[in-house]
Amino acid sequence: MKRRKMVVAAGFCFSFFMGTLMNLLFIPGFEHHGERAHRYYYEKQQPGGDASTRLQGDASTPAETKLEPTAAAGRLPDLQMQIRERLDEVLRYRRRRAHWVANGDAARPLERRRLMDLEQDNNWESYKEIGKSDNYENAGGRSQSTPGVSIATKSHRESPHDPMLGCSSIDNVTNVHYLGSGYTKAVYKAALNSSFSVALKSVDFGGHDMENCVKKYGSSKDCYKLASFKIVKEMTLMERLQHPNILKLYGYCYQDSNDIKDTVTAITELGSPLEMIQLLQTPWEERFRICLSLMRLLHYLSRSPLGSVTLLDFRPRQFVLVEGVLKVTDLDDASVEETPCSSSSPSDCLLEFPARNFTLPCHKGRCQEMNEKRNLYNAYRFFFTYLLPHSAPTALRPLLDKIVNSSGELIWGTDGTLVHLEKVLDMYKNGHYLKNDTQRHKTEYKRISDASIAAENYRCWPSYQHDGCMLSVFSIHEAIDVCESHAQCRAFVMTNQSTWTGHQLVLFKTGAASMTEARGKLTYVRLGTSGS
């Protein structure tokens, strides 16, 4: 009897284990994405072969799904309609005339002529041929198919000092590393000429969009065409929207890859991803810079040459940092369409968020400032709340709190929010947040020129240096205030480095026993209580 119970118990445990395993393996969307990413990365490190072809991944990965002929015939028109809609969207952005004049304006008449040709016959084949004649590459004499972005991109990048990159530029890339992927795109870091690093964006053949599309429609070629329009749209917007906080488009390449014709690779500026946990540990000045960069971007988008642009997929992962400056990198979900409405139906202009909703006025058949307000509230809930007030100078906190609260209530638009952030910048750069410098300090310091202190570090937070206490100050008086507020501080070194606001970086030390000669630096050693 006892043995029978043990066998039954063992059978039950085994059944439970197998059931759990099967559930995990067959949960919809359960994907060993890390393994696929590792495979792509590994393929790119292999010697030999064409680098630009390897960047496309294995174009045959989503093999043609075998569907019943009647099922495939019934579904393909729907796929063709989606492709046409995305093509039409890109063409709309191309037709909108920008209000700025780019460098190399000689290319503009040709661009307008080609867009007129597109209007007459805007099908895929003619669209694909735009610019072939103008992009015949000198290196190797290969022509590069350039839908949509070719002429206008050349118009502001065609100069001896800023040539546009193409297929020949990525044929011999080195140090290719997989950075990540989303629903549609895979992103890689690569070095051109072994020195200049860029980001390469291409359709992820193993991604969510491609896999689901091929599973549903059974045509990898058409599914690729649909997915590639997201990259083409992004390239078009990068070219049209010229702003310091939008990632730069360096060029693009169209090449055949296995059974897919004209696979597209965008070549863009390389940035580092935003890590919010790390940002919370950085000095306030750098976090303020990110928020200011974001607000300058949103102010521009609210009145861009294309109209008011909203970022529908607004999350920190859609942004990168380039030398400390925030830049938007994903524009494939951007939209300039204003929400239509009727004055008799207030619910048409309901702006919904997880925490709260807003109802905006309907003006001339469109929801007033819907795109602008959506961007602003997303800036509040993803950035301002976490990065603006935390560890800010005491005198600036009331104004920063007002900015956070007003953006969270949508009291101001992008104009008012930017004005107040620029006011904070002015106060900070000019030292208006400090106490009266004429006050006497509690201690005296000995000033030593061209000297530094090698060791005797201590940690403080937040610091520009991981293993020491490095902070930015407006003046020597602020440095003394900081030192006196730290119990372990007995000396500090005014370095010859400064931050983006012009504040000087200072190293605070526990003593001066390891003092060394260092040209351009000033060391201040604490002597004791004044008057003693």
Side-chain angles (χ1 to χ4, degrees):
M1 180 64 70
K2 186 175 182 181
R3 183 177 297 173
R4 183 181 299 172
K5 288 182 178 179
M6 291 178 63
V7 171
V8 171
F12 176 78
C13 291
F14 179 74
S15 300
F16 179 78
F17 170 76
M18 289 301 296
T20 304
L21 181 62
M22 295 297 285
N23 283 336
L24 283 174
L25 289 175
F26 293 100
I27 289 175
F30 184 80
E31 176 82 36
H32 297 287
H33 194 79
E35 294 179 10
R36 185 175 71 246
H38 177 74
R39 173 167 56 83
Y40 285 169
Y41 170 79
Y42 176 76
E43 287 172 355
K44 274 186 262 308
Q45 306 310 309
Q46 301 309 302
D50 185 83
S52 58
T53 302
R54 292 201 309 273
L55 284 167
Q56 307 303 330
D58 181 5
S60 61
T61 298
E64 299 281 347
T65 303
K66 297 194 181 231
L67 298 175
E68 293 294 329
T70 53
R75 293 177 182 178
L76 282 176
D78 176 49
L79 178 57
Q80 294 297 331
M81 184 179 296
Q82 293 181 52
I83 293 171
R84 181 57 186 229
E85 288 173 352
R86 287 195 182 173
L87 167 60
D88 288 343
E89 182 186 15
V90 174
L91 288 172
R92 285 198 301 274
Y93 293 134
R94 299 296 308 149
R95 292 191 190 107
R96 288 175 183 258
R97 291 191 58 185
H99 301 306
W100 46 265
V101 178
N103 293 329
D105 197 54
R108 287 294 175 189
L110 180 59
E111 176 193 357
R112 287 194 289 272
R113 176 178 63 78
R114 295 193 173 204
L115 289 177
M116 289 171 60
D117 294 340
L118 275 180
E119 290 181 27
Q120 297 171 7
D121 185 18
N122 59 353
N123 58 52
W124 165 252
E125 292 303 321
S126 64
Y127 183 69
K128 199 170 59 176
E129 295 295 321
I130 301 176
K132 270 191 175 180
S133 60
D134 281 351
N135 286 278
Y136 189 78
E137 296 187 302
N138 294 327
R142 291 175 307 168
S143 93
Q144 176 177 311
S145 177
T146 54
V149 296
S150 57
I151 305 304
T153 305
K154 286 171 68 69
S155 70
H156 79 274
R157 293 201 179 279
E158 193 173 65
S159 69
H161 305 293
D162 191 16
M164 189 172 167
L165 303 179
C167 293
S168 62
S169 306
I170 62 175
D171 274 347
N172 299 305
V173 293
T174 56
N175 299 322
V176 180
H177 295 281
Y178 171 85
L179 295 180
S181 60
Y183 271 45
T184 307
K185 301 186 294 279
V187 185
Y188 306 91
K189 174 184 177 181
L192 305 182
N193 300 323
S194 303
S195 58
F196 180 54
S197 292
V198 297
L200 303 176
K201 293 184 177 184
S202 57
V203 172
D204 185 357
F205 284 95
H208 178 277
D209 278 0
M210 278 295 292
E211 285 191 347
N212 281 11
C213 179
V214 173
K215 211 174 280 184
K216 183 174 182 180
Y217 298 107
S219 173
S220 60
K221 294 178 182 178
D222 286 335
C223 286
Y224 178 86
K225 194 183 296 182
L226 180 68
S228 68
F229 269 121
K230 283 196 173 183
I231 296 180
V232 174
K233 173 185 173 181
E234 187 166 272
M235 291 193 297
T236 301
L237 289 176
M238 283 181 176
E239 182 273 324
R240 280 306 209 185
L241 302 174
Q242 299 292 300
H243 192 267
N245 299 115
I246 296 176
L247 209 67
K248 292 178 183 176
L249 177 68
Y250 290 144
Y252 50 88
C253 172
Y254 277 83
Q255 287 184 328
D256 295 348
S257 178
N258 295 336
D259 62 337
I260 304 290
K261 289 191 66 178
D262 291 313
T263 57
V264 58
T265 300
I267 310 168
T268 73
E269 190 175 16
L270 179 68
S272 56
L274 280 183
E275 300 290 348
M276 294 302 288
I277 300 299
Q278 293 180 9
L279 287 180
L280 291 173
Q281 302 173 46
T282 58
W284 175 83
E285 185 177 332
E286 297 306 312
R287 287 185 275 115
F288 174 74
R289 185 183 190 182
I290 290 172
C291 293
L292 181 62
S293 297
L294 177 60
M295 201 59 243
R296 286 171 174 171
L297 168 66
L298 298 188
H299 183 263
Y300 169 78
L301 292 181
S302 69
R303 48 185 46 77
S304 83
L306 299 178
S308 181
V309 180
T310 186
L311 304 176
L312 295 175
D313 189 10
F314 194 118
R315 291 174 293 168
R317 63 177 294 181
Q318 310 299 339
F319 299 86
V320 295
L321 289 177
V322 180
E323 297 180 352
V325 177
L326 185 80
K327 299 197 177 194
V328 62
T329 177
D330 281 345
L331 290 169
D332 55 358
D333 288 309
S335 174
V336 297
E337 304 301 326
E338 293 284 2
T339 305
C341 61
S342 168
S343 55
S344 60
S345 178
S347 61
D348 291 345
C349 295
L350 182 64
L351 193 56
E352 297 181 273
F353 296 99
R356 63 170 305 172
N357 300 329
F358 300 90
T359 300
L360 302 180
C362 181
H363 181 67
K364 295 183 179 179
R366 290 286 183 266
C367 296
Q368 193 169 1
E369 300 177 342
M370 176 75 89
N371 289 349
E372 177 181 350
K373 299 288 188 180
R374 181 185 287 110
N375 287 343
L376 185 56
Y377 190 82
N378 278 325
Y380 155 77
R381 70 188 186 110
F382 285 117
F383 289 89
F384 295 172
T385 301
Y386 303 105
L387 303 182
L388 265 184
H390 190 53
S391 71
T394 304
L396 296 178
R397 287 178 191 172
L399 182 52
L400 291 170
D401 288 338
K402 187 176 182 181
I403 292 171
V404 173
N405 293 334
S406 296
S407 59
E409 296 295 328
L410 295 183
I411 296 173
W412 300 329
T414 54
D415 285 340
T417 308
L418 181 59
V419 164
H420 285 81
L421 282 171
E422 295 285 2
K423 181 179 179 181
V424 172
L425 176 63
D426 180 71
M427 291 175 65
Y428 186 76
K429 288 179 71 172
N430 293 293
H432 296 160
Y433 63 96
L434 296 172
K435 299 174 184 177
N436 191 345
D437 285 345
T438 59
Q439 67 174 354
R440 285 178 60 87
H441 294 100
K442 297 178 182 178
T443 55
E444 293 180 350
Y445 291 80
K446 180 181 179 182
R447 181 179 183 272
I448 305 169
S449 300
D450 295 325
S452 183
I453 301 172
E456 296 160 277
N457 292 315
Y458 68 91
R459 292 184 179 181
C460 65
W461 183 85
S463 171
Y464 282 90
Q465 193 177 75
H466 176 68
D467 57 350
C469 184
M470 178 182 279
L471 303 173
S472 65
V473 300
F474 173 75
S475 64
I476 180 62
H477 299 284
E478 185 179 6
I480 293 174
D481 285 340
V482 171
C483 188
E484 292 184 355
S485 68
H486 294 176
Q488 59 271 65
C489 181
R490 292 293 178 272
F492 57 88
V493 180
M494 304 286 290
T495 72
N496 47 14
Q497 298 173 280
S498 58
T499 66
W500 67 281
T501 63
H503 280 44
Q504 198 166 359
L505 290 175
V506 179
L507 275 165
F508 295 90
K509 303 284 186 172
T510 60
S514 58
M515 189 178 298
T516 58
E517 184 178 350
R519 289 188 63 83
K521 295 183 180 180
L522 289 174
T523 293
Y524 288 80
V525 181
R526 193 170 181 172
L527 297 178
T529 305
S530 108
S532 60

